[in-house]
Every structure is written in C-alpha cells, then in structure tokens.
Amino acid sequence: MFKILKHAILGPQVKQLVFEAPAVARKRKPGQFVILRINESGERFPLTIADADPKAGTITIIFQEVGKSTFQLGTLKAGDAVLDIVGPLGKPTEIEKFGHVICMGGGVGVAEIYPVAMALREAGNEVTAIIGARSKDLVILEEQMRRASHKLWVTTDDGSYGYHGLVTDPLKEILNDTNKKVDRVFCIGPVPMMRAVAEATRPYGIPTIVSLNPIMVDGTGMCGACRVEVGGETKFACVDGPDFDAHQVNFDLLMKRLTIYKDQEKLSWELWKQQHGKCTKKS
Amino acid sequence: MAKKIIPYAVPMPEQDPKERIHNFNEVPLGYSPEMAIAEANRCLQCKKAPCIAGCPVAIDIPAFINLIAQGDFIAAYRKVMEKNVLPAICGRVCPQEDQCQKMCVMGVKNEPIAIGRLERFVADYAMQVGKTEVPQRLRSTGKRVAVIGSGPSGLTVAGDLAKMGHSVTLFEALHATGGVLVYGIPEFRLPKDILKKETEVLAKLGVEIQTDYVIGITEMVDELLDRYQAIFIGTGAGLPYFMNIPGENLNGVYSANEFLTRNNLMRAYLFPQWDTPIKPSRNVAVIGGGNTAMDAVRIAKRLGAENAYLIYRRSRAEMPARDEEIHHAQEEGIIFHLLENPIRIIGDEKGWVKEIELIRMELGEPDESGRRRPIPIKGSEHTLKVDTVIMAIGQGPNPLLLSTTPGLKLNKRGYIQVDPQTGATSKKGVFAGGDIVTGSATVILAMGAGRTAAKAMHEFLK
Ligand SMILES: Cc1cc2nc3c(=O)[nH]c(=O)nc-3n(C[C@H](O)[C@H](O)[C@H](O)COP(=O)(O)OP(=O)(O)OC[C@H]3O[C@@H](n4cnc5c(N)ncnc54)[C@H](O)[C@@H]3O)c2cc1C
Ligand SMILES: Cc1cc2nc3c(=O)[nH]c(=O)nc-3n(C[C@H](O)[C@H](O)[C@H](O)COP(=O)(O)OP(=O)(O)OC[C@H]3O[C@@H](n4cnc5c(N)ncnc54)[C@H](O)[C@@H]3O)c2cc1C
Ligand code: SF4
Ligand code: SF4
Ligand code: FES
C-alpha cells in the first residue's frame, strides 16, 4: 500500500497528490514516471513523477481527471492509500548544459515539464519556459515554472490571461528572433501540440524532445502496448522512452493508438458517474 | 504374477465445449477418488520405473501412485511434495506427454498412466481437506538471499532456501506473484485460486514478498549485493517478439503478452466490473503454434469471437503446444490454418486492422531445431478478414535487468550464461535459472533449475 500524505487541488480537475514511496523517490530522475493501480479491480495507468523528495521518501504526481481511473484517484484524500505504485519507469530526460533551452508544457503537461525545466536550470542552462492552457483558470504551476525558468510565457487559447494564442506563437517569435540562439526544445502536452512544436522547430533544425503518452500496461517492456514509431522503427515508449526526437515521431500513429479503447473508456466512465453521482463534465 | 493390463487411461471429466466457450472456468474437472484409484491401479509399479527419469524433478512416481491405489491420498500428496512443491500446478500444465508419460512402460503399447492427472488429484484433494502442510523450516542461518522474479523458478528457489533456514526476499516487478502462471496462463487452464494457495506456503515459510519492485529500475543487482549474500535471477523471457511485417502497429494488433496480461492478470474478461478493457472482436487471427498461441486463441473465442483462427507456418505435427491444449482448442471450434504465414496486415483509413495477408507454406529439410523448415509457396498469397491479430511467435530476454548488471555474462542469444550444474553466473554470489537462461521452456524445467540453484546457493552460503 502506498499512502497519500498530501492532497491539493491545482485547478479545475487538476489535482496533486504526495505519496509515500521511498524506493521510487530514491531513484527517480526528471522525465520518469510511475504506474499506479488504485485497488484490486483497478487498471494500471502511468503518471509522471512531478517531484520527489528522496530524504522524506515521497513523490508528487499531478494529474488531470479525464476518465474513470483519474477521477477515482481524485476522490482520494490524505491518509488514503493506493494498492500499487511501481517505478521510476522510463529513461530519464537527457539533462546537460545545452545553452539556451525552451521548455514547453500544455495543459497537465506543465506538471511533466516542470521537473525537466528545473533540472535544466540547475545544469546551468538558460531556460525559457512557455506554458499554455485553454483559459486562465486552467493555468497550473505558474509560480513553480517561474522559478524554474529565466523567462516565462503563459499563453491562453481564449486570451483570458497572458499571451493570447497557442504555445507555438511565442515559440515562433523566439525562433524568428535572430539575436536569440535556441539549442534545444523540450515539449510535453497533448499530441497535437507536440506535433505543432515539432513542425515549428523542424525548419530550424533545432533538436526537439517530446515525451510520448501511449497506452501502457506493465511499463517494463513486457507487453508492447506502448508501441510508437520513431524514425520508421517501432519502439516501446515505456522503456525506450518516453522521450523521443520529435522530428522522427509518427504522431499520426500515436493519435490513432490512443483511441483504441474509446468506447470502453466511455462506458467505464458512465458507470462510475452513475455510481458516484458526480455531475462533473468529462473534458 | 503379471498384472492385468488395462489399455486405456481413465478419462478425465471435462466441461462441455459448447458451454465452456462462454466461460472462463476450468476445462478439465479432475478425478474423483474412485477414478484416481482406478487409474492408479493401472500402474505396473515397474522396478526400474523409467517414468521417474522423464520427470525433471524426479518425483517418485510409482511410490505416490501406489499410495493412491491404497487410498492413502494424503501420504501420496506428501510423497509428491518431497520433490515438487507446486503439484497442483504441474499436474495441470506440465507437458506430460513429452516428459514422465512419454517414458511410461504402459505407453509402449497402450495409453500411458495419467501421471499428471493423478498428481493434480492428490494436490487438489489435500487442498480440499485442508491437509496441505507447511514444510518444516530449519533453524535460521542468519544469511540473507534475494530472489528476483516470482515465476516457477523464483518460487522454487525462495521456498527451498527458506526451508533451509535462510532469510529470503522475493522481488517481483508486477503487482502479483506467479510470473507466467499469473499473467500468461488463463484461468480456464490454471485457476488463480490454485496458484494463490500454492504460493501462500511461501509467506508461511517467512519469505518476504516485495511486489511492484523492478530490479534494474527500483534497485540494481549490485545494490542488492550489498544487502544480500546471494541472489537468484529468475526473470523469465518476457520480451514479446513481433514479425516485423507491415501493419503490425495498427489498432487491433496485440502481442500475446499484452492480450494475455489484459485478460489473466488484469481480468479484462470481467470488464467493466474490473477496469482494464479489451476490445471485443468478431474475427481474430492468432499467429503461432505454441502454448501461448493456444491460450490466446481460446481466450479470444471465450470473449465472443465468431471466428477464432490459429495461423501456424508448419503442420500440426510440429506444433510445440501441449497435445491436450491443441485438442481442447479443436473441440472449441478454433479454426486452424496450418502451413500458412502472415506477410502483411492491412488496415482501414482509421488505422484499424481489416485483413491479414497470408502465404501458404510447404515443409522442406529439417532445420537446427530438428523440425522441417517451412518454405513459402510463391503465388499462394491470399487474404483473411480479421479485426484482431495476436502475435504469439515467441519471446526473448527483457534487457531491463541484464543491461544494468555489469559483469553478468550472456550467451549469444542474449540469455544469462550459467554453469548448468549449479546455476552460477559469471558474477560471484549471483545465480540464475528458468526461461532467462534457457529461453521459453516449461514450468517444470524452470522449477528444476530453481531446485538446482537453491542447492548450490545453500552450499555457497555455508
Ligand atoms: C508516460 C506517461 C506519463 C503520463 N503522465 C501523466 C501526468 O503526469 N498527468 C496526467 O494527468 N496524465 C498523465 N498521463 C496520462 C494518463 O496516464 C491518462 O490520462 C490516464 O491513464 C487516463 O485514465 P482514465 O481512466 O482516467 O481515463 P480514460 O477514460 O481511461 O482515458 C482517457 C485517455 O487517457 C489515455 N489512457 C487511458 N488508459 C491509459 C493507460 N493505461 N496508459 C496511458 N494512457 C491511457 C487514452 O488516451 C484515453 O483516451 C501520462 C501518460 C503516460 C503514458
Ligand atoms: C501463455 C503461456 C503458456 C504457457 N503454458 C505452459 C504450459 O502449459 N506448460 C508448461 O510447462 N509451460 C508453459 N509455458 C511456459 C512456462 O510458463 C515458462 O517456461 C515458465 O513460467 C518460466 O518460468 P520462469 O520462472 O523462468 O519465469 P516467468 O514465469 O516468466 O516469471 C518471471 C517473473 O519475473 C518477473 N520479472 C521480470 N523482470 C524482472 C525484474 N527486472 N525485476 C523483478 N521481477 C522481474 C516477471 O514479472 C515474472 O513475474 C507457457 C508460457 C506462456 C507464456
Ligand atoms: S512434475 Fe510434471 S513431469 Fe514430473 S511427474 Fe508431475 S506431471 Fe510428470
Ligand atoms: S513407467 Fe508407467 S507403469 Fe511403470 S511405474 Fe512408471 S507410471 Fe507406472
Ligand atoms: S507498457 Fe508494456 S511494454 Fe511498454
């Protein structure tokens, strides 16, 4: 059993949990994730480790409620526990002194880019961060991201806060600024956003890293559910990734594979709603 | 006086195929005490007992069968337990026709003694009457041992070393113990309750079980060596192979490992009561001819497929699956496409499988494996309408642990190299056995390897 020590609400349907998981906390590096199972009948699903404290033996995860498992997780409070947490899975993000780096996060992807930005800053990089959300109330971790970066852009699709537009808009501004050299771009967010960022940096030949989020089961390379295509080759995202060279990723395939269980996910969610009388809308 | 020969084995009652394709309950129902005694009475009690040599853990087969014939089932159970601590499992899944029963004298002219069924009977009987005892534990040696992987090899090592008085921790990557027994072999062949009961003995022996713990990730082998005096690696062959043909990443294509794990470990057949889904399909093609393929195709049928095809590139004679399972599959209406091989999977515009293209094969000269090599027949390409394809063409060594353990010598196929007499690896204090040494083999061979390693580890710890 893995106990929850802290529970916080970061925004509409975005929650943060701090778990007691000493073995994971000890080893974890930025970019890695855990697979979690709430109870005996629960599914195994991946969540990025947003932060960890090896001394206290804790890990922090931040997640968006999008379906049955994440909503159920969101109902747990401090003092509750989940049955299983395994990790830290996946290859850590490659952290080096690259020079000037841009860290981009969209939606709940901000929680995933935050530890990467922090590590890059600590490694001596100049960090420009761009985080985006649909509207003001969905912006998360702004303060943390400000501390993790030298310059922070916040964009909202509807212009209710910060820069009015998509995360790729300030990115393009920076890329067009001939005074500003960009050595590497890191991006985590919804697939369309990662694809757009890949397309934006491609003409400039700037190395761009994305963190892919295919459906997973074991997370140890045993099942192959997490197959993605990178540079025409099949990779298992849980062990070969989740970070990959954005310019080589077949995003189209990833999008398609993410829809495999759409009907079942809907059914599962409807049942959960009925049983728990929640009227929150599925986003 | 020569014993009267009874040519046929007592048949085992089974669930009707028409019924069982709609449930996940066990197919063979087991012997009654009367049936067991009748079958035991067929045994010739041979002096030389060649059957024993056919059993990788050398169970004293005539002795336990004799005890059954006398009606002393508990004594028979104890006899088996001297050599095999997982008899309810082995009695069910051992490829007996290639092992003990293959050597049985009766089998020369008639049906061999149903040794596996009898073994299963005594184990089930002992469980039913609650006479499964916890083996004696010797005085604590104060030595600490780590066992990595909880498949049959790891379970055996953990049990044996605990009995010898060592303090054992068992590390398992998944959330449940049992290895292939829990994630691979389906409920209708090996009920999870049986597995649970047979592995509970370990906890009673004081083995500390640490699930959700991946060695090579959560902790490294070299770190364990600081805390433990000896280590056993029994991580199995859990890396799924694909064929590298076009269309393998389409929606609806699974590795057998994924398909089996979703069903067996995650109970997708109970969706939506259990959360893990599986996509229902009408026409399923399973590629392969081993136990894995047979399990996958029979699950697919039970999940409601109208047509469940098994596609295998050689002929029935070369199929590595157990005879009993092939037979069960046929009874259940699985459609066999023998001497055919996929060359391409074709998808629709949304990225879902819609057809598979096959080519017919003929058998040529025997290859290194001794089986006749399949050769494609030019111009015989044809397609089959399917919405699901399951690749069950074999598996290899998972690199997670291997690549993070410096000094561990691998053979040219990528498996761990060991001294066959002891299971010792190139790393001092580190032993290995089971599928991670031999490649995919059998439950009883993995257990045998575990037994060998446990003995050697005990010596090493002295
Ligand atoms: C490496 C990795 C890291 C992730 N990190 C985070 C994170 O830090 N915060 C966060 O909010 N989300 C994260 N996700 C996504 C998260 O796993 C899914 O949102 C979650 O599984 C949805 O489950 P559900 O039952 O609530 O929703 P469902 O209704 O089941 O699914 C909603 C969508 O989530 C995806 N999904 C469903 N099941 C899985 C699964 N087993 N594995 C992966 N994706 C699945 C599918 O695209 C699906 O359409 C990560 C995913 C991956 C692969
Ligand atoms: C579907 C299927 C059906 C089969 N049917 C039969 C049958 O009918 N009869 C028969 O005799 N044999 C059968 N076999 C073969 C048999 O199951 C295997 O040979 C046997 O299970 C091998 O045992 P093992 O102990 O080597 O490893 P496994 O059973 O593979 O167990 C290895 C365990 O180690 C864990 N592990 C892996 N890596 C790590 C790590 N880094 N850290 C911690 N834990 C780790 C895994 O999660 C797993 O639980 C079948 C195999 C399959 C796949
Ligand atoms: S363990 Fe397997 S090989 Fe040995 S006697 Fe039992 S069924 Fe036969
Ligand atoms: S060889 Fe067959 S008949 Fe002879 S003792 Fe063994 S099981 Fe009995
Ligand atoms: S999740 Fe199973 S191999 Fe990646």
Side-chain angles (χ1 to χ4, degrees):
Chain A
M1 296 289 262
F2 296 81
K3 212 165 110 193
I4 297 172
L5 302 177
K6 252 170 51 199
H7 168 280
I9 298 173
L10 299 189
Q13 287 166 25
V14 179
K15 291 186 172 156
Q16 174 177 357
L17 294 175
V18 178
F19 283 96
E20 197 171 68
V24 181
R26 217 175 301 137
K27 276 285 176 325
R28 166 270 178 187
K29 296 210 175 77
Q32 290 184 298
F33 63 95
V34 289
I35 281 191
L36 186 145
R37 192 175 69 127
I38 300 174
N39 56 15
E40 191 56 31
S41 58
E43 66 179 335
R44 296 170 63 100
F45 63 102
L47 293 171
T48 303
I49 308 168
D51 209 346
D53 182 340
K55 280 214 199 73
T58 61
I59 59 165
T60 302
I61 55 157
I62 295 171
F63 61 99
Q64 186 167 21
E65 295 169 332
V66 295
K68 154 92 204 266
S69 298
T70 43
F71 267 104
Q72 189 180 359
L73 188 62
T75 63
L76 301 183
K77 298 280 176 289
D80 292 342
V82 298
L83 209 46
D84 301 288
I85 290 184
V86 60
L89 302 170
K91 290 214 168 82
T93 301
E94 204 186 320
I95 305 286
E96 264 176 46
K97 187 164 176 193
F98 297 107
H100 177 217
V101 297
I102 303 184
C103 293
M104 313 184 57
V108 76
V110 177
E112 301 172 52
I113 202 72
Y114 162 66
V116 173
M118 201 68 180
L120 284 165
R121 186 179 170 144
E122 277 163 16
N125 290 285
E126 186 196 340
V127 179
T128 300
I130 311 174
I131 63 172
R134 281 201 310 274
S135 65
K136 182 176 180 193
D137 57 341
L138 295 171
V139 175
I140 58 167
L141 301 178
E142 186 183 348
E143 271 327 296
Q144 284 89 331
M145 284 305 290
R146 202 173 294 286
R147 270 183 274 124
S149 59
H150 297 88
K151 170 146 183 61
L152 174 72
W153 301 70
V154 182
T155 70
T156 50
D157 298 4
D158 64 0
S160 54
Y161 186 68
Y163 188 107
H164 184 177
L166 302 171
V167 283
T168 39
D169 296 331
L171 173 68
K172 283 177 189 155
E173 268 182 40
I174 301 168
L175 295 177
N176 279 329
D177 182 349
T178 43
N179 294 325
K180 202 93 198 129
K181 188 169 160 289
V182 178
D183 296 295
R184 198 169 268 244
V185 175
F186 295 82
C187 169
I188 310 179
V191 182
M193 167 185 154
M194 293 193 285
R195 191 211 306 255
V197 169
E199 288 323 311
T201 59
R202 194 191 300 276
Y204 299 87
I206 299 169
T208 302
I209 309 297
V210 286
S211 176
L212 303 185
N213 59 342
I215 291 175
M216 295 187 174
V217 183
D218 63 299
T220 62
M222 181 270 271
C223 77
C226 61
R227 305 203 291 295
V228 292
E229 216 174 87
V230 183
E233 267 182 59
T234 296
K235 301 273 179 197
F236 290 1
C238 69
V239 283
D240 300 326
D243 285 2
F244 291 102
D245 174 354
H247 299 145
Q248 303 284 325
V249 170
N250 182 344
F251 287 106
D252 199 41
L253 180 77
L254 178 63
M255 287 281 258
K256 285 181 177 148
R257 288 190 62 82
L258 280 169
T259 65
I260 296 180
Y261 297 105
K262 255 207 155 65
D263 300 343
Q264 285 78 11
E265 283 155 2
K266 198 159 159 249
L267 175 65
S268 203
W269 158 246
E270 296 290 338
L271 280 173
W272 163 260
K273 234 177 6 184
Q274 272 171 27
Q275 283 158 11
H276 293 80
K278 271 217 168 177
C279 47
T280 24
K281 210 175 108 258
K282 182 170 177 173
S283 53
Chain B
M1 193 187 77
K3 199 164 167 165
K4 187 165 175 279
I5 301 282
I6 303 162
Y8 295 105
V10 177
M12 172 112 87
E14 287 179 350
Q15 251 202 94
D16 187 316
K18 282 201 234 32
E19 240 159 63
R20 72 186 192 232
I21 57 168
H22 301 295
N23 67 52
F24 277 79
N25 300 335
E26 199 173 8
V27 170
L29 302 171
Y31 276 163
S32 66
E34 296 71 33
M35 292 172 185
I37 292 175
E39 181 61 20
N41 274 321
R42 289 181 65 229
C43 170
L44 304 173
Q45 292 295 316
C46 313
K47 284 261 142 39
K48 281 215 180 111
C51 50
I52 300 179
C55 170
V57 294
I59 293 179
D60 189 342
I61 294 168
F64 101 81
I65 292 184
N66 193 31
L67 288 163
I68 297 179
Q70 291 167 20
D72 195 348
F73 304 141
I74 295 300
Y77 165 73
R78 289 201 182 115
K79 193 79 209 151
V80 173
M81 284 292 278
E82 284 173 12
K83 292 290 163 78
N84 180 355
V85 285
L86 306 173
I89 295 170
C90 292
R92 284 173 166 81
V93 306
C94 258
Q96 293 105 5
E97 68 270 17
D98 289 328
Q99 296 177 342
C100 52
Q101 292 175 195
K102 187 180 191 174
M103 311 296 277
C104 174
V105 172
M106 271 293 265
V108 179
K109 288 206 186 113
N110 302 293
E111 274 186 8
I113 308 300
I115 304 169
R117 293 176 189 172
L118 290 173
E119 183 175 344
R120 167 187 167 163
F121 167 77
V122 292
D124 287 1
Y125 181 88
M127 260 181 220
Q128 258 164 33
V129 301
K131 277 281 167 60
T132 50
E133 70 232 84
V134 180
Q136 284 290 307
R137 206 186 156 169
L138 298 181
R139 223 166 53 91
S140 168
T141 59
K143 299 278 164 64
R144 296 170 55 80
V145 182
V147 175
I148 307 168
S150 67
S153 68
L155 291 176
T156 305
V157 173
D160 282 5
L161 289 177
K163 274 191 263 176
M164 295 172 194
H166 305 295
S167 129
V168 181
T169 312
L170 179 59
F171 294 99
E172 169 54 52
L174 291 170
H175 59 256
T177 54
V180 168
L181 305 178
V182 64
Y183 78 74
I185 301 183
E187 182 77 15
F188 57 82
R189 260 207 317 128
L190 178 64
K192 299 292 162 278
D193 264 0
I194 302 280
L195 176 65
K196 211 170 139 213
K197 284 194 187 121
E198 293 216 320
T199 50
E200 263 166 14
V201 176
L202 286 189
K204 288 191 196 142
L205 277 168
V207 173
E208 190 193 326
I209 297 174
Q210 198 42 276
T211 49
D212 296 324
Y213 212 97
V214 192
I215 305 304
I217 288 189
T218 317
E219 201 170 354
M220 307 300 148
V221 169
D222 282 347
E223 289 172 293
L224 290 180
L225 278 171
D226 294 338
R227 297 199 281 141
Y228 297 92
Q229 278 101 39
I231 293 181
F232 176 79
I233 303 174
T235 47
L239 179 76
Y241 286 152
F242 287 90
M243 293 185 75
N244 294 319
I245 55 173
E248 264 182 314
N249 291 334
L250 286 165
N251 288 355
V253 183
Y254 298 86
S255 76
N257 276 2
E258 180 187 358
F259 187 78
L260 293 168
T261 301
R262 282 184 178 274
N263 264 286
N264 305 332
L265 179 68
M266 307 309 296
R267 312 265 176 116
Y269 64 95
L270 298 177
F271 179 85
Q273 280 76 42
W274 288 55
D275 290 344
T276 305
I278 192 98
K279 194 90 187 167
S281 37
R282 295 175 72 161
N283 301 300
V284 184
V286 176
I287 320 301
N291 285 317
T292 310
M294 226 50 76
D295 284 345
V297 78
R298 294 174 68 202
I299 290 177
K301 186 79 192 176
R302 281 164 174 73
L303 289 173
E306 283 161 32
N307 296 302
Y309 305 104
L310 186 105
I311 295 167
Y312 180 55
R313 60 194 179 132
R314 305 188 210 234
S315 73
R316 158 85 207 240
E318 287 84 16
M319 274 195 175
R322 294 182 55 205
D323 278 348
E324 185 181 335
E325 306 313 333
I326 298 174
H327 173 69
H328 281 151
Q330 283 170 327
E331 283 182 342
E332 288 165 12
I334 305 302
I335 305 160
F336 285 59
H337 281 245
L338 301 175
L339 289 165
E340 287 183 49
N341 207 30
I343 44 179
R344 174 164 79 109
I345 305 168
I346 304 157
D348 64 16
E349 47 317 317
K350 287 196 178 129
W352 282 89
V353 172
K354 76 171 189 206
E355 273 178 338
I356 185 163
E357 185 170 348
L358 306 169
I359 187 161
R360 285 191 225 291
M361 312 290 275
E362 60 191 351
L363 292 180
E365 294 299 306
D367 60 14
E368 319 83 71
S369 75
R371 293 175 302 176
R372 294 176 62 194
R373 188 194 302 275
I375 304 162
I377 305 174
K378 277 211 187 74
S380 69
E381 295 84 352
H382 56 289
T383 62
L384 188 65
K385 271 206 175 353
V386 292
D387 51 30
T388 303
V389 176
I390 300 166
M391 291 294 171
I393 55 162
Q395 35 208 38
N398 186 317
L400 269 188
L401 180 146
L402 306 178
S403 64
T404 52
T405 309
L408 192 65
K409 246 208 188 125
L410 307 182
N411 64 22
K412 58 179 187 304
R413 291 163 62 221
Y415 293 95
I416 300 177
Q417 196 172 319
V418 302
D419 172 349
Q421 246 65 67
T422 61
T425 68
S426 57
K427 231 173 140 74
K428 189 156 179 263
V430 180
F431 298 74
D435 285 3
I436 192 60
V437 168
T438 56
S440 299
T442 63
V443 172
I444 192 70
L445 283 173
M447 288 181 55
R451 166 105 349 120
T452 304
K455 266 198 214 121
M457 289 168 83
H458 184 59
E459 285 304 312
F460 173 82
L461 288 167
K462 270 184 186 159

